[in-house]
Amino acid sequence: MNQENTSISSTPVDAPPLDIAIMAAGRGTRMKSRRAKVLQPLAGQPLLAHVLRAVQPLGARSITVVAGHAASQVQAFCAAWNEKEQGSALRVVIQQPQRGTGHAVQQAAPLLGNDGVALILNGDGPMLHTDTLRRLLARAGSGTMALLTVDTGADAGAYGRVLREADGAVRAIREARDAAPEELAVTEWYSGCLAAPVALLRRCLGMLDDNNAQHELYLTDVVHHAHTLGASVQALCIADAAQAAGVNTPDPARLDVRGTLRCGQDVEIDVGCVFEGEVHLGDEVRIGAHCCIANARIAAGARIAPFTHIDGGAAGVTIDVGEGAQVGPFARLRPGAQLGREVHVGNFVEVKNSQLAAGAKANHLAYLGDASVGARVNYGAGCITANYDGANKHRTEIEADVHIGSNSTLVAPVRVGAGATVGAGSVITREVPPAVLAVRRAPQRLRKDWQRPGKG
């Protein structure tokens, strides 16, 4: 079968009006998400947004989105899209109950103008090219239905097979669950993208029944009905499977799991991340690019920024990151680090065998070792806990609401009482009582007769 090239083909100026229907009612169970399938993010944008960008240049008279599962989310997205994109007027219809793809298009059919051509798309197909759609539309009209199909010469998996007559004319699409063995051997498959005169499409939609393995109304059956009505059915067959493939699961190829990774719902993991040992990620956790995480439990809503290193050691889960915490970028959590709710640990901050209570912050260039840090503590840039005396480790206790000024050193063992403030650049070697200001610096000296050494 000859593959079409991908050269640009413009829509003729005398083309009939175009109405678009986008199917967006699916549950997407393999996504394991509370979010509507078509609103799953790809490259920072929902899948549906990518589809809408592809069809924008086509100059459609109307665009109808068929929502079902999580319909309120899809409606909210469409309302926001209309507000943001001037001149856009997405319409939403609800498919309830959800009885298949044919039933979904039946919900949109009353909004399609009988004088035009309908373009039917899936909302989870973000890779379609506008020029491919133009070429497909150029084949539809004047009693002709046009299908976008793919043939890579390989097993078509769960996709519907394109069945042809001996002369090559398309006569039907057979869903994989209903296909006979010889039909499953066909390597050309249907993409879910179809263009047809609305009048023809309406007639074929009215002929659908649920006499199939899933007892649903298949949109693919309109091809058989168009053929039996004597209409021409053409296929634009491409070799680029990525254009036509839908997104059904998160992409596991972007990360490296070397142990056990357990994820809640709506977890986002960027590229290049490595997980070792036992790692648990709660609902809506976001892991930035190129993080290394071993033996850690990260609670719901936490944000781990790129290039963060979290290493709980080899003996089970020894690091906990609390709900809503923010860690990184370029942060390091070592064994025994325990971060409470809404804790912030920022760039180039190292935490070892230390507990930070809710709301504590160490945002820049700091070290916390063998320390207990109270709620809402602000631990300034350049601060360290001097926990090692050359022979033994000692602890530092920083109570709630303490402010540690930048470039301060807390020489353990030492305690800073609740609400106290340590002035910037101080070296603290003795206990600081609650609610006082502690400042300990060498006196500043000025020498007017001093000269910088020169090179010999």
Coordinates of all heavy atoms in Angstrom, one line a residue, residues 358-408:
A358 N 6.7 21.6 61.1 CA 5.9 22.2 60.1 C 6.3 23.7 59.8 O 6.4 24.4 60.8 CB 4.4 22.1 60.5
G359 N 6.4 24.0 58.6 CA 6.6 25.4 58.2 C 8.0 25.9 58.3 O 8.3 27.1 58.0
A360 N 9.0 25.1 58.8 CA 10.3 25.5 58.9 C 10.9 25.8 57.5 O 10.6 25.1 56.6 CB 11.2 24.5 59.7
K361 N 11.9 26.7 57.4 CA 12.5 27.0 56.1 C 14.0 27.1 56.2 O 14.5 27.8 57.1 CB 11.9 28.3 55.6 CG 10.4 28.3 55.3 CD 9.9 29.6 54.8 CE 8.4 29.5 54.5 NZ 7.9 30.8 54.0
A362 N 14.7 26.5 55.3 CA 16.1 26.6 55.1 C 16.3 26.8 53.6 O 16.4 25.8 52.9 CB 16.9 25.5 55.7
N363 N 16.3 28.0 53.1 CA 16.1 28.2 51.7 C 17.4 28.2 50.9 O 17.3 28.1 49.7 CB 15.3 29.4 51.4 CG 13.8 29.2 51.6 OD1 13.3 28.1 51.2 ND2 13.0 30.1 52.1
H364 N 18.5 28.5 51.5 CA 19.7 28.8 50.7 C 21.0 28.3 51.4 O 21.2 28.7 52.5 CB 19.9 30.2 50.3 CG 18.6 31.0 50.1 ND1 18.0 30.9 48.9 CD2 17.9 31.8 50.8 CE1 16.9 31.7 48.9 NE2 16.8 32.2 50.1
L365 N 21.8 27.6 50.7 CA 23.2 27.4 51.0 C 23.5 27.2 52.5 O 24.2 27.9 53.2 CB 24.0 28.7 50.6 CG 23.9 29.1 49.1 CD1 24.2 30.5 48.9 CD2 24.8 28.2 48.3
A366 N 22.9 26.1 53.1 CA 23.0 25.9 54.5 C 23.2 24.4 54.8 O 23.0 23.5 54.0 CB 21.7 26.4 55.2
Y367 N 23.6 24.1 56.1 CA 23.8 22.7 56.5 C 23.1 22.6 57.9 O 23.3 23.4 58.8 CB 25.3 22.4 56.7 CG 25.5 21.1 57.3 CD1 25.1 19.9 56.6 CD2 26.1 20.9 58.6 CE1 25.3 18.6 57.2 CE2 26.3 19.7 59.2 CZ 25.9 18.6 58.5 OH 26.1 17.3 59.1
L368 N 22.3 21.5 57.9 CA 21.6 21.1 59.2 C 22.0 19.6 59.4 O 21.5 18.8 58.7 CB 20.1 21.3 59.1 CG 19.6 22.7 59.3 CD1 18.2 22.8 58.7 CD2 19.6 23.1 60.8
G369 N 22.8 19.4 60.4 CA 23.2 18.1 60.8 C 22.9 17.8 62.3 O 23.3 18.6 63.1
D370 N 22.3 16.7 62.6 CA 22.0 16.3 64.0 C 21.3 17.4 64.7 O 21.7 17.9 65.8 CB 23.3 15.9 64.7 CG 24.0 14.8 64.0 OD1 23.5 13.6 64.1 OD2 25.1 15.0 63.4
A371 N 20.2 17.9 64.1 CA 19.5 19.0 64.7 C 18.0 18.7 64.7 O 17.4 18.0 64.0 CB 19.7 20.3 63.8
S372 N 17.3 19.4 65.7 CA 15.9 19.4 65.8 C 15.5 20.9 65.6 O 15.9 21.8 66.3 CB 15.4 18.9 67.2 OG 15.8 17.6 67.4
V373 N 14.6 21.1 64.6 CA 14.2 22.4 64.2 C 12.7 22.6 64.4 O 12.0 21.8 63.8 CB 14.6 22.7 62.7 CG1 14.2 24.1 62.3 CG2 16.1 22.5 62.5
G374 N 12.3 23.6 65.1 CA 10.9 23.7 65.5 C 10.1 24.4 64.4 O 10.6 24.7 63.3
A375 N 8.8 24.4 64.6 CA 7.9 25.0 63.6 C 8.2 26.4 63.3 O 8.6 27.2 64.1 CB 6.5 24.8 64.1
R376 N 8.1 26.7 62.0 CA 8.2 28.1 61.5 C 9.6 28.7 61.7 O 9.7 30.0 61.6 CB 7.1 29.0 62.1 CG 5.7 28.5 61.8 CD 4.7 29.3 62.6 NE 4.9 29.2 64.0 CZ 4.5 28.2 64.7 NH1 3.8 27.1 64.2 NH2 4.7 28.1 66.0
V377 N 10.6 28.0 61.9 CA 11.9 28.5 62.0 C 12.4 29.0 60.7 O 12.2 28.4 59.6 CB 12.9 27.4 62.6 CG1 14.4 27.8 62.3 CG2 12.6 27.2 64.0
N378 N 13.1 30.1 60.6 CA 13.7 30.6 59.4 C 15.2 30.5 59.6 O 15.8 31.2 60.4 CB 13.3 32.1 59.2 CG 13.8 32.6 57.8 OD1 14.7 32.1 57.2 ND2 13.0 33.5 57.3
Y379 N 15.8 29.6 58.9 CA 17.2 29.3 59.0 C 18.0 29.9 57.8 O 17.8 29.5 56.7 CB 17.4 27.7 59.0 CG 18.7 27.2 59.4 CD1 19.1 27.2 60.7 CD2 19.6 26.7 58.5 CE1 20.3 26.7 61.1 CE2 20.9 26.2 58.8 CZ 21.2 26.2 60.2 OH 22.4 25.6 60.6
G380 N 18.8 30.9 58.1 CA 19.3 31.8 57.0 C 20.3 31.2 56.1 O 20.9 30.1 56.4
A381 N 20.6 31.9 55.0 CA 21.6 31.5 54.1 C 23.0 31.4 54.7 O 23.4 32.3 55.5 CB 21.6 32.4 52.9
G382 N 23.7 30.4 54.4 CA 25.1 30.2 54.8 C 25.2 29.8 56.3 O 26.3 29.7 56.8
C383 N 24.2 29.3 56.9 CA 24.2 28.9 58.3 C 24.6 27.4 58.4 O 24.3 26.6 57.5 CB 22.9 29.1 59.0 SG 22.5 30.8 59.2
I384 N 25.3 27.0 59.4 CA 25.6 25.6 59.7 C 25.5 25.3 61.1 O 25.6 26.1 62.0 CB 27.1 25.3 59.2 CG1 28.1 26.0 60.1 CG2 27.3 25.6 57.8 CD1 29.5 25.4 60.0
T385 N 25.2 24.0 61.4 CA 25.3 23.4 62.7 C 26.6 22.7 62.7 O 26.8 21.7 62.0 CB 24.1 22.5 63.0 OG1 24.1 21.4 62.0 CG2 22.8 23.2 63.0
A386 N 27.5 23.2 63.6 CA 28.8 22.5 63.8 C 28.6 21.3 64.7 O 28.8 21.5 66.0 CB 29.8 23.5 64.3
N387 N 28.3 20.2 64.2 CA 27.9 19.1 65.0 C 29.0 18.1 65.4 O 28.8 17.2 66.2 CB 26.8 18.3 64.3 CG 27.2 17.9 62.9 OD1 28.0 18.5 62.2 ND2 26.6 16.7 62.4
Y388 N 30.2 18.2 64.9 CA 31.2 17.3 65.1 C 32.4 18.0 65.7 O 33.0 19.0 65.2 CB 31.7 16.7 63.7 CG 32.7 15.6 63.8 CD1 32.5 14.5 64.6 CD2 33.8 15.6 63.0 CE1 33.5 13.5 64.7 CE2 34.8 14.6 63.0 CZ 34.6 13.5 63.8 OH 35.5 12.5 63.9
D389 N 32.9 17.4 66.9 CA 34.0 18.0 67.6 C 35.3 17.4 67.3 O 36.3 17.6 68.0 CB 33.7 18.0 69.1 CG 33.6 16.6 69.7 OD1 33.9 15.7 69.0 OD2 33.3 16.5 70.9
G390 N 35.4 16.5 66.3 CA 36.6 15.8 66.0 C 36.5 14.4 66.5 O 37.3 13.5 66.0
A391 N 35.7 14.1 67.4 CA 35.6 12.7 68.0 C 34.1 12.3 68.1 O 33.8 11.1 67.8 CB 36.2 12.7 69.4
N392 N 33.2 13.2 68.4 CA 31.8 12.8 68.6 C 30.9 13.8 67.9 O 31.2 14.9 67.7 CB 31.5 12.7 70.1 CG 32.3 11.7 70.8 OD1 32.2 10.5 70.6 ND2 33.2 12.2 71.8
K393 N 29.6 13.3 67.6 CA 28.6 14.1 67.1 C 27.7 14.6 68.2 O 27.5 13.9 69.2 CB 27.7 13.3 66.1 CG 28.4 12.8 64.9 CD 28.8 14.0 63.9 CE 29.5 13.5 62.7 NZ 28.6 12.7 61.8
H394 N 27.3 15.9 68.1 CA 26.4 16.5 69.1 C 25.2 17.2 68.4 O 25.3 17.5 67.3 CB 27.2 17.6 69.9 CG 28.4 17.0 70.6 ND1 28.4 16.4 71.8 CD2 29.7 17.1 70.2 CE1 29.6 16.0 72.1 NE2 30.4 16.4 71.2
R395 N 24.1 17.3 69.2 CA 22.9 17.8 68.6 C 22.7 19.3 68.9 O 23.2 19.9 69.9 CB 21.7 17.1 69.2 CG 21.6 15.6 68.7 CD 20.2 15.0 68.9 NE 19.2 15.6 68.1 CZ 19.0 15.4 66.8 NH1 19.8 14.5 66.2 NH2 18.0 16.0 66.1
T396 N 21.9 19.9 68.0 CA 21.5 21.3 68.1 C 20.0 21.3 68.2 O 19.3 20.6 67.4 CB 22.0 22.1 66.9 OG1 23.4 22.1 66.8 CG2 21.5 23.6 67.0
E397 N 19.5 22.1 69.1 CA 18.0 22.2 69.2 C 17.6 23.7 68.9 O 18.1 24.6 69.6 CB 17.5 21.8 70.6 CG 17.8 20.4 71.0 CD 17.2 20.0 72.3 OE1 16.4 20.7 72.8 OE2 17.7 19.0 72.9
I398 N 16.8 23.8 67.9 CA 16.3 25.2 67.6 C 14.8 25.1 67.8 O 14.1 24.4 67.0 CB 16.6 25.5 66.1 CG1 18.1 25.4 65.9 CG2 16.1 26.9 65.8 CD1 18.6 25.5 64.4
E399 N 14.2 25.9 68.7 CA 12.8 25.8 69.0 C 12.0 26.6 68.1 O 12.5 27.3 67.2 CB 12.6 26.2 70.5 CG 13.3 25.2 71.5 CD 13.0 25.5 72.9 OE1 12.5 26.6 73.2 OE2 13.4 24.7 73.8
A400 N 10.7 26.6 68.3 CA 9.7 27.2 67.3 C 9.9 28.7 67.2 O 10.3 29.4 68.1 CB 8.3 26.9 67.8
D401 N 9.7 29.2 66.0 CA 9.7 30.6 65.6 C 11.0 31.3 65.8 O 11.1 32.5 66.0 CB 8.6 31.3 66.4 CG 7.2 30.7 66.2 OD1 6.8 30.7 65.0 OD2 6.5 30.3 67.1
V402 N 12.1 30.6 65.8 CA 13.4 31.2 65.9 C 13.8 31.7 64.5 O 13.5 31.1 63.5 CB 14.4 30.1 66.4 CG1 15.9 30.6 66.1 CG2 14.2 29.8 67.8
H403 N 14.6 32.8 64.5 CA 15.2 33.3 63.3 C 16.7 33.2 63.4 O 17.3 33.8 64.3 CB 14.7 34.7 63.0 CG 15.4 35.3 61.8 ND1 14.8 35.3 60.6 CD2 16.6 36.0 61.6 CE1 15.6 35.9 59.7 NE2 16.6 36.3 60.3
I404 N 17.3 32.5 62.5 CA 18.8 32.4 62.5 C 19.3 33.2 61.4 O 19.1 32.9 60.2 CB 19.3 30.9 62.3 CG1 18.6 30.0 63.4 CG2 20.8 30.8 62.4 CD1 19.0 30.3 64.8
G405 N 20.0 34.3 61.7 CA 20.5 35.2 60.7 C 21.6 34.5 59.8 O 22.3 33.6 60.2
S406 N 21.8 35.1 58.6 CA 22.7 34.5 57.6 C 24.1 34.4 58.1 O 24.6 35.2 58.9 CB 22.7 35.4 56.3 OG 21.4 35.3 55.7
N407 N 24.8 33.4 57.7 CA 26.2 33.1 57.9 C 26.5 33.0 59.4 O 27.5 33.3 59.9 CB 27.1 34.2 57.4 CG 27.1 34.2 55.9 OD1 27.2 33.1 55.3 ND2 27.0 35.4 55.2
S408 N 25.5 32.3 60.1 CA 25.8 32.0 61.5 C 26.2 30.6 61.7 O 25.8 29.7 60.9 CB 24.5 32.3 62.4 OG 24.2 33.7 62.4

